[in-house]
Amino acid sequence: MIDAAGKLIAKADRIVAFSGAGLSAESGIPTFRDSHAVSGALWTKYDPMTLASPEGFAADPQAVIAWYNWRRRTIAAAQPNPAHQALAAASRNSGLVNVTQNVDDLLHRAGAQHVIQLHGSIAVDRCHGQCGHYEAIDLANPPDLRPCVRCGEPMRPGVVWFGESLPADAWTAAERACSQCDVLLVVGTSAAVYPAAGLINYAKSHGSRIIIVNTQPSEASRLADFELIGPAGEIVPQLFDR
Ligand code: OAD
């Protein structure tokens, strides 16, 4: 199966990698929904509406910032794994486009080009008001809750929360890439969160073949031409090793 999927990739002109939290799991970054996760997936331990929604932020902004800063320090201490490295090399060598739901910076640190972050970036803060102010932050030493220097509204992580829209430019770019690709390589996502997960069906309906890499079946299994069950860090490099 890996060999046949690798041949499909080798023949493809346009490849999009659509990734989720499982891509970074072997780097030590917890997933959200994952019955195989040894230390428990995040949404089995924490309430997403408390920690990842505008309502949760309004109710207890200190708790939300503290939780994101814990995740930021975890990401700062992590390193890209062989799956990030393989996707980054393919982006540099053959123009693979990375469409990711991940808010971490591990694809960037692996040297990837063409990274579209559908759910924003945890490496920036943005104003929770309407002024549009952004600040890059140090993941290892993230700032506490503070007001926006421009308008005084609270600063918050530059990620998409439940109930919020995806960044329009990222979504437009992702749809364009998924409508034109020959192969969509789906890595480490439960494919449970929309609209992002809808890109898999969208790519298939535009003629793309679908290769899935996951440690277990997912919501997208029925769409797969090849479903490769196993860790991304072991399987993804093999797909590009020809
Ligand atoms: P999930 O946590 O929902 O799914 C992670 C998937 O990765 C699961 O299907 C696991 O089986 C798989 N997995 C775990 N370890 C793996 C490994 N080493 N190799 C391959 N696969 C592995 O993460 P996402 O699908 O990314 O939203 O979740 C989507 C969104 O839900 C996230 O972007 C986040 C969350 O709420 C926001 O932050 C807005």
Side-chain angles (χ1 to χ4, degrees):
M1 280 271 263
I2 293 179
D3 195 46
K7 284 187 176 130
L8 196 60
I9 284 177
K11 275 196 314 195
D13 288 327
R14 283 175 291 198
I15 306 166
V16 173
F18 174 60
S19 54
L23 172 64
S24 298
E26 288 155 83
S27 297
I29 300 176
T31 50
F32 299 95
R33 304 165 198 80
D34 183 355
S35 59
H36 291 186
V38 178
S39 51
L42 289 175
W43 293 153
T44 63
K45 297 192 275 192
Y46 303 101
D47 173 19
M49 295 315 284
T50 303
L51 293 169
S53 76
E55 295 79 10
F57 188 60
D60 192 346
Q62 296 275 8
V64 171
I65 297 297
W67 187 71
Y68 275 92
N69 285 353
W70 162 70
R71 289 180 59 201
R72 285 166 158 164
R73 291 188 192 95
T74 305
I75 292 165
Q79 296 300 326
N81 68 51
H84 296 108
Q85 304 285 7
L87 295 176
S91 76
R92 293 191 301 270
N93 300 336
S94 52
L96 174 147
V97 176
N98 278 288
V99 176
T100 188
Q101 298 162 91
N102 295 348
V103 296
D104 67 52
D105 62 350
L106 294 182
L107 278 167
H108 303 87
R109 279 201 265 147
Q113 297 170 348
H114 319 298
V115 182
I116 298 168
Q117 285 186 289
L118 291 175
H119 291 163
S121 167
I122 203 168
V124 298
D125 265 349
R126 68 177 168 87
C127 176
H128 193 48
Q130 301 300 318
C131 85
H133 181 62
Y134 272 82
E135 286 176 17
I137 58 142
D138 177 358
L139 288 172
N141 290 296
D144 292 330
L145 182 65
R146 67 200 189 288
C148 173
V149 291
R150 197 184 288 173
C151 75
E153 289 292 312
M155 294 295 284
R156 54 162 282 184
V159 303
V160 175
W161 282 333
F162 287 99
E164 294 183 325
S165 302
L166 272 50
D169 52 349
W171 181 249
T172 302
E175 274 196 322
R176 187 182 309 120
C178 289
S179 71
Q180 296 172 350
C181 62
D182 307 308
V183 171
L184 186 74
L185 175 59
V186 180
V187 182
T189 177
S190 59
V193 174
Y194 284 77
L199 288 171
I200 306 170
N201 201 31
Y202 185 74
K204 193 173 180 84
S205 70
H206 282 77
S208 178
R209 309 293 295 280
I210 310 291
I211 300 171
I212 295 183
V213 179
N214 198 309
T215 43
Q216 59 188 311
S218 69
E219 304 272 337
S221 293
R222 69 194 159 78
L223 299 172
D225 294 287
F226 294 95
E227 185 171 43
L228 309 172
I229 298 291
E234 289 176 24
I235 293 178
V236 174
Q238 293 181 61
L239 292 172
F240 294 94
D241 185 20
R242 65 200 66 239

